[in-house]
Structures are given as C-alpha cells and as structure tokens.
Amino acid sequence: MPGLPVDKLGTRSDEVRAPIDPDRAKQYAAATNDDNPAYADGTYAPPVFGVVPTWDAIGRAVGEVVPPEQLMMVVHGEQDMHFHQPLIPGRELVTVAEAHSIRVGTSGTRFTTHVTSNDAETGEPVLEQFVTMFIRGLSEGESAGPDKPDHTFDAGGGATPVGDFTVHVDADQTYRYHEASGDPMPIHLDDAFAKSVGLPGIIAHGLCTMAMTSQAVVKTVAGGDPGRIKRLAVRFSKNVFPGDDVTTTIADLGDGRYGFEATTNRGVTVISNGLAEVAN
C-alpha cells in the first residue's frame, strides 16, 4: 500500500463559508449530554461545535491527501483547537484548511490538517485547529511537514489535581451525535461495518468524547463559562463504546493551563495528553 503523497503538503482548500447555526449548536449540546445554560439560551455554541461549520473544509483537505480506498481505515487521532474568541451563534465563519504534515509509524500514518476560521463580517480570527487523522495499518511512505503544536504534559511533574467529572455514553449517543454533527462515518452507526474493518463494534465519535471532556473542563475549572476557553487539545488513545461512563480527571498545571485525561468504567484511558487553556 503506497504512502501518502508528501507533495500535497501545503495544498489549501477553497474558502468555505458556514454559519455557527443557533439551532444546530443547541442540538449539538444535547447530543453530547451537555446541559450548560449558555448553550440552551444561545449565548455560546459549545467549543467543540467549532468542528461542525469547518468540517467541509477539513474533508476537502483530507480528500486531497488520503486516497478513497484508505478512508474507511481512518480514525481521529488528535484534535487541537485554539479559540481566538468564543463561538457565537449566528455568526458566519470563513474557513480554509491546509495539508500540514505526515508522520509514518509502525502501526499507521498520522496526517494533520491546519484549519483557520475567520469571522466573515470582520475578518478577525475566531478558531484555529490542528486536526490529526490516523490511517490504520498504513506504515509505508515518508514523513514530511512541520511539527504541530505540542500538548503533552507531565501529570506527575507538580500538577495539582482539581477534580473529575463523569458523563455517560448513551445507547443512542452515536446516532444523535451523527445527526447533530453531520459526521457520516459508518463505524459509528453500523455494527456490521465496524466489525468488517477490524473494530469490535460501533464506536463513539472521538469528537463526541472530546465534547464530553470539554464539558468537564468548563464546569470544573472555568466556572461554567465556555467563553473562557482558549484552547482544547486531546489525543484519542482508545475507543469509547455506547454504555461507557467517561470520567475526566483534571490537574492544574499553572498559568491557566490544565492537563486532563479521560478513562472509562472499564478502566481504559480513552483521552490522553488533554490540555486546556482557560482565561481568568
């Protein structure tokens, strides 16, 4: 199986314009079991909802680099979101995605897309993302492109535990999240298909799990105010399944930085190297 084409790095998608849709933002909050009143009254959209109006641009960038026959082997590897300002329902975003880097490993290849979104009216930056997809089993080819921003941290290096928060993954979670996010990947919806590509069954969307951990961050260290979130970054380390309880444990790293990880009631760490930056 040939490696990913390094000559495609630097390729930029066309601009994609999409609104931060108020109704869909509320649907997204409900689909991730988040009862924050700031989402219910339309003050803010959930932070991880930022992937929804930008997903078309991300998909175009991925499609330029990852061949169609390899797309069903793709899972989300990492997500790093930098918020220049909160996501306000009703505003329109202009998004461009660029093929950023390729890293080849023994079990697969990581492909990172750099995504920038500006306010369509003012031109000011709103959201910057580094989206890393993992192509399972693709260990051929070469690595190329710049390193993405680091979000690793040493949990034992003086970090102070500050709390934890648990969210249950409902039996119908993946279907509700699919409707709210528009993510069509059948590994989240079709048990037989998921098994056909080597998974044990339907798995939860990585971004749904990330949204659950962001709920923990907002409620635990941001005083319930999603407008204070400046960065959220995670590594998706293991699969989450319907029926799991996901517990996010948070530690204070100092200077408004918080490290976190998430584990399930099965004792599996599903989010590692979680990093949040929170404004005072």
Side-chain angles (χ1 to χ4, degrees):
M1 186 182 297
L4 299 184
V6 297
D7 61 307
K8 293 286 189 178
L9 294 180
T11 301
R12 292 167 60 87
S13 73
D14 293 333
E15 289 186 351
V16 174
R17 288 177 171 257
I20 303 173
D21 183 85
D23 291 335
R24 199 168 182 187
K26 293 177 184 179
Q27 182 186 16
Y28 190 91
T32 56
N33 301 348
D34 197 332
D35 60 359
N36 193 310
Y39 310 142
D41 67 16
T43 301
Y44 295 121
V48 182
F49 180 79
V51 301
V52 175
T54 63
W55 197 249
D56 281 350
I58 296 168
R60 293 179 189 185
V62 172
E64 283 290 325
V65 177
V66 181
E69 63 271 17
Q70 294 175 346
L71 287 176
M72 289 302 107
M73 299 304 289
V74 170
V75 293
H76 213 135
E78 297 181 57
Q79 181 79 8
D80 187 358
M81 309 180 75
H82 301 246
F83 300 91
H84 299 284
Q85 52 185 295
L87 303 180
I88 307 298
R91 293 186 179 176
E92 185 178 42
L93 299 181
V94 178
T95 300
V96 174
E98 179 178 336
H100 181 75
S101 61
I102 295 168
R103 296 291 184 267
V104 180
T106 56
S107 60
T109 295
R110 290 175 290 138
F111 168 57
T112 298
T113 305
H114 181 205
V115 189
T116 55
S117 301
N118 295 336
D119 187 293
E121 182 175 351
T122 66
E124 295 178 349
V126 176
L127 175 61
E128 181 179 16
Q129 302 176 76
F130 292 86
V131 183
T132 300
M133 300 299 184
F134 183 69
I135 302 94
R136 297 180 297 127
L138 182 61
S139 56
E140 303 294 328
E142 60 180 297
S143 300
D147 291 335
K148 56 183 176 54
D150 185 41
H151 58 90
T152 60
F153 67 93
D154 181 3
T160 304
V162 294
D164 55 54
F165 187 85
T166 299
V167 182
H168 182 68
V169 182
D170 299 323
D172 65 345
Q173 198 88 52
T174 63
Y175 302 99
R176 288 163 41 217
Y177 187 85
H178 157 68
E179 292 175 356
S181 68
D183 186 330
M185 288 289 283
I187 57 175
H188 307 300
L189 305 169
D190 186 322
D191 193 67
F193 181 87
K195 291 176 179 176
S196 76
V197 294
L199 296 168
I202 285 175
I203 62 172
H205 301 74
L207 290 170
C208 181
T209 305
M210 183 181 182
M212 290 175 171
T213 64
S214 73
Q215 177 184 172
V217 170
V218 170
K219 289 187 174 181
T220 304
V221 299
D225 182 1
R228 292 174 57 192
I229 301 299
K230 306 303 291 183
R231 184 183 181 189
L232 287 169
V234 300
R235 178 178 180 270
F236 303 105
S237 54
K238 295 290 183 181
N239 294 324
V240 174
F241 299 95
D244 281 348
D245 291 322
V246 176
T247 298
T248 303
T249 303
I250 304 171
D252 189 347
L253 305 177
D255 299 322
R257 298 169 66 251
Y258 296 88
F260 61 92
E261 68 175 20
T263 58
T264 68
N265 52 306
R266 296 178 288 111
V268 176
T269 299
V270 293
I271 295 287
S272 59
N273 291 325
L275 180 66
E277 296 178 3
V278 180
N280 292 329

